Amino acid sequence: MANKKFFVTTPIYYVNDRPHLGHAYTTIAADVAARYHRFLGEKVFFLTGTDEHGAKIEKAAQKSGKAPKEFADENSEKFRQSWKKLNISYDGFIRTTDPKHKKAAQKALEVLYKNGFIKKGVYQGLYCFGCEQYKTKNDLIAGKCPDHKIAPELIEEESYIFKLSKFQDVLRKKIVKDELYIQPKERKNEVLAFLGQELRDISISRQKVKWGIPLPFDRRFTVYVWIEALFNYLTGIGWEGNPKELPDFWPPELQLMGKDILRVHATIWPALILALKIPLPKNFFVHGYFTTNGQKMSKSLGNIIWPEEIIEKFGVDAARYLLLSVLHFGQDGDISWQKLKEEYNADLAAGLGNLVSRVINMAVKVRIENKESKIENNEVKKNIKEAEKKWKEGLSQFKFSEALASIWDLIRFCDQYIEKESPWKESKNQISVINDLLIALASIAQFISPFLPETSRKIFNQLGLASLEKEIVFKIKKSEPLFPKVIS
Ligand code: MSP
């Protein structure tokens, strides 16, 4: 499997504020995927970044009394800082204000214009500035955008228009046949239902928005922010805008996104790629929302929990674990401080942390050291194998919460095994039971490594191992509890 490539992307985030949990969630999920594929020995490129142009950023900058670039610089840096705190191992961080991105996006638009995919006209529609998207009447609830709870504005202006409607049939076919594989299935069906209606051409230029990339063939306009933002997935790996010269990592194996931006990604994005005659991305994985009391967590609704607050209270690895386990594959998940605390105490303090300290303490007491260990009990062996199988299945299908569940099944099994065998008491089995538990711990350390990299390292350290080697020789070291109980 050596040298197989794996290119994974997150959406690029708007710089109207610092990152919140929703942003952190997608980025942690991409990080887990990247770490897992590196573990498999593949050549990985993990791309993330910030989306810095458009009316939304222009307005937010104005409100804060700063020039848009200065404002974007500050907030983009906050994303980098948060990703550093969350131990995000990205390989590339693209900013759409980067001159290389601007130049490449302009070049791509020239190609599309020359090849007849862009025409001039007048565009009219209902525009939501929160989404930076035109909405149809069907998208609105009581006349308002359901995500931003504001009524969109009617806009009519001279425009350059991308002939999106031309791609309706081909997009449908590619999605039905999973050539562009959208998971989970409900989301794929939602896109197909949308593609069953008439697909409208879209405006790719803005006359009144100054904060953007000038349209190369008519500089009175700037490029619609979504169009240039989508090109980040290419420019972020070094594309210069020539469809015939593609970077090695193209196409992405996995593009992660929340459900609010699926439609743009499943229509405009692949249509642009098809128009440029470039291979399509392979997989979209679409996740749900963090909600508080059933409402999407967002700045406009003022119900945000910040990633830094979670890190401060529980630690980095715990923050990564808690976020990924709260949202179930593709669904929404309600989040609250109470729930986070309960989960932390149950799964990490009383679960993983307690198991590690119990087993290490017993191993220290019976002085298991420098002993070459092979697993003896068949039940332990079977449970490790089963967990490994489900862990791999979960991770290869990007079902992160399921991969985590398989590890926690193994943790629970070990707890029960300890209760059953009472290895703290002297017996003829005592050493072999503790040995088996140590091997189970080494496997757990391996399985958690994409999710909780620091904890994995600490457990291996206590076992005296660098990783899960074939020939295990333990050198046990006792150390501080991994996850002290959180009381308030
Ligand atoms: N800039 C665009 C994406 C352009 S990609 C070419 C954008 N940015 S965003 O900052 O608004 O959101 C980025 C991602 O964060 C989306 O995938 C969105 O679904 C996710 N989240 C924003 N709020 C969320 C929650 N409350 N819960 C989970 N994720 C959500 O859209």
Side-chain angles (χ1 to χ4, degrees):
M1 193 120 328
N3 285 336
K4 198 177 155 205
K5 71 167 188 63
F6 183 79
F7 174 30
V8 55
T9 70
T10 71
I12 48 171
Y13 305 110
Y14 287 129
V15 286
N16 54 327
D17 206 339
R18 60 191 164 121
H20 67 61
L21 276 198
H23 305 133
Y25 176 75
T26 328
T27 314
I28 296 169
D31 187 59
V32 168
R35 286 177 188 268
Y36 175 64
H37 284 268
R38 285 189 201 113
F39 161 76
L40 294 179
E42 297 176 15
K43 243 171 95 186
V44 171
F45 199 97
F46 166 15
L47 178 67
T48 188
T50 43
D51 192 355
E52 305 189 7
H53 289 125
K56 179 170 170 142
I57 310 302
E58 197 172 50
K59 281 186 184 168
Q62 217 167 37
K63 215 170 143 192
S64 76
K66 292 190 177 130
K69 181 63 168 57
E70 186 194 354
F71 181 72
D73 283 349
E74 279 178 19
N75 281 329
S76 178
E77 185 52 31
K78 288 181 192 156
F79 277 87
R80 278 188 195 263
Q81 289 308 325
S82 283
W83 299 164
K84 198 167 165 197
K85 280 190 198 143
L86 279 167
N87 213 348
I88 303 297
S89 61
Y90 61 77
D91 301 292
F93 189 100
I94 174 87
R95 296 185 56 187
T96 53
T97 48
D98 182 345
K100 281 190 184 154
H101 168 82
K102 292 200 230 174
K103 221 169 129 195
Q106 284 178 322
K107 195 158 171 194
L109 284 162
E110 296 262 27
V111 174
L112 291 170
Y113 189 54
K114 260 191 222 136
N115 292 342
F117 291 104
I118 294 171
K119 62 181 180 194
K120 192 141 183 231
V122 172
Y123 199 86
Q124 194 209 56
L126 291 166
Y127 198 76
C128 170
F129 283 93
C131 298
E132 288 279 20
Q133 278 175 56
Y134 280 105
K135 298 277 159 183
T136 66
K137 286 231 167 73
N138 288 342
D139 295 331
L140 308 177
I141 297 177
K144 291 184 175 168
C145 163
D147 278 344
H148 296 95
K149 312 276 184 242
I150 42 172
E153 270 176 47
L154 182 70
I155 293 186
E156 182 178 310
E157 63 179 21
E158 190 189 347
S159 257
Y160 283 87
I161 292 167
F162 175 60
K163 297 178 186 169
L164 181 61
S165 56
K166 268 184 136 204
F167 295 90
Q168 178 154 6
D169 289 341
V170 54
L171 285 176
R172 247 188 90 78
K173 279 186 199 135
K174 300 233 177 238
I175 294 170
V176 166
K177 286 201 269 177
D178 293 333
E179 281 174 41
L180 172 59
Y181 187 29
I182 302 177
Q183 293 185 80
K185 220 188 186 151
E186 308 88 270
R187 298 288 162 225
K188 169 177 164 180
N189 292 338
E190 189 185 292
V191 167
L192 288 174
F194 180 71
L195 284 170
Q197 304 159 22
E198 198 193 329
L199 193 60
R200 257 189 98 186
D201 290 343
I202 55 150
S203 160
I204 59 134
S205 63
R206 293 291 181 268
Q207 208 171 14
K208 299 200 184 86
V209 181
K210 294 283 161 273
W211 179 235
I213 301 179
L215 196 64
F217 37 85
D218 192 339
R219 292 188 170 256
R220 293 176 302 143
F221 296 85
T222 56
V223 179
Y224 169 38
V225 61
W226 263 104
I227 300 290
E228 52 122 334
L230 288 164
F231 284 131
N232 95 84
Y233 299 130
L234 279 149
T235 60
I237 48 170
W239 188 58
E240 290 178 359
N242 180 350
K244 295 205 176 93
E245 284 171 20
L246 291 175
D248 285 347
F249 271 104
W250 191 261
E253 201 67 37
L254 172 63
Q255 299 213 268
L256 285 160
M257 67 198 74
K259 60 183 179 178
D260 50 338
I261 57 173
L262 169 63
R263 198 191 285 175
V264 182
H265 277 83
T267 54
I268 304 176
W269 173 223
L272 288 171
I273 298 177
L274 290 169
L276 289 166
K277 298 196 170 57
I278 289 176
L280 287 177
K282 296 194 180 142
N283 295 287
F284 283 177
F285 171 81
V286 186
H287 65 77
Y289 294 150
F290 283 114
T291 55
T292 34
N293 302 321
Q295 292 276 343
K296 182 188 180 193
M297 185 183 290
S298 78
K299 189 164 180 240
S300 6
L301 302 182
N303 56 358
I304 289 189
I305 296 181
W306 303 100
E308 280 76 9
E309 295 176 312
I310 300 200
I311 297 174
E312 211 166 285
K313 193 165 173 85
F314 302 108
V316 176
D317 272 11
R320 294 170 59 104
Y321 172 80
L322 292 171
L323 294 194
L324 280 194
S325 56
V326 166
L327 287 199
H328 211 269
F329 183 59
Q331 292 161 12
D332 290 350
D334 222 49
I335 195 165
S336 65
W337 283 107
Q338 183 61 22
K339 197 169 161 187
L340 289 171
K341 193 178 88 183
E342 278 166 18
E343 223 182 286
Y344 172 93
N345 282 335
D347 296 356
L348 296 173
L352 176 60
N354 188 44
L355 175 69
V356 172
S357 69
R358 270 175 110 183
V359 175
I360 296 288
N361 278 335
M362 290 188 288
V364 168
K365 263 199 197 123
V366 298
R367 294 172 193 275
I368 292 193
E369 252 188 278
N370 295 328
K371 184 173 186 318
E372 192 171 302
S373 307
K374 290 222 167 51
I375 213 150
E376 280 172 32
N377 182 285
N378 277 334
E379 217 190 330
V380 178
K381 206 187 268 174
K382 195 181 112 216
N383 274 276
I384 294 177
K385 281 266 159 288
E386 233 160 64
E388 184 176 16
K389 188 168 160 261
K390 287 193 190 147
W391 174 73
K392 280 196 169 150
E393 268 168 19
L395 278 166
S396 58
Q397 293 166 37
F398 321 121
K399 298 182 179 178
F400 303 107
S401 51
E402 291 177 23
L404 281 174
S406 70
I407 310 172
W408 260 259
D409 284 345
L410 180 58
I411 292 173
R412 271 185 293 273
F413 163 79
C414 290
D415 283 336
Q416 286 157 9
Y417 187 64
I418 294 175
E419 292 313 309
K420 195 171 122 206
E421 299 291 334
S422 322
W424 56 87
K425 289 187 207 146
E426 242 177 80
S427 75
K428 68 174 180 5
N429 283 342
Q430 189 188 26
I431 300 287
S432 97
V433 170
I434 296 175
N435 258 328
D436 286 0
L437 284 164
L438 287 170
I439 296 175
L441 277 195
S443 308
I444 290 168
Q446 181 66 72
F447 301 155
I448 62 169
S449 67
F451 298 95
L452 299 100
E454 276 306 300
T455 309
S456 165
R457 201 184 48 74
K458 284 183 189 160
I459 299 175
F460 276 129
N461 213 15
Q462 294 195 41
L463 296 170
L465 304 173
S467 62
L468 187 59
E469 294 130 26
K470 278 240 152 58
E471 295 291 307
I472 298 179
V473 181
F474 293 117
K475 241 180 163 205
I476 309 296
K477 268 182 275 182
K478 225 170 131 169
S479 100
E480 297 294 297
L482 293 170
F483 300 103
K485 195 167 175 198
V486 168
I487 311 290
S488 60

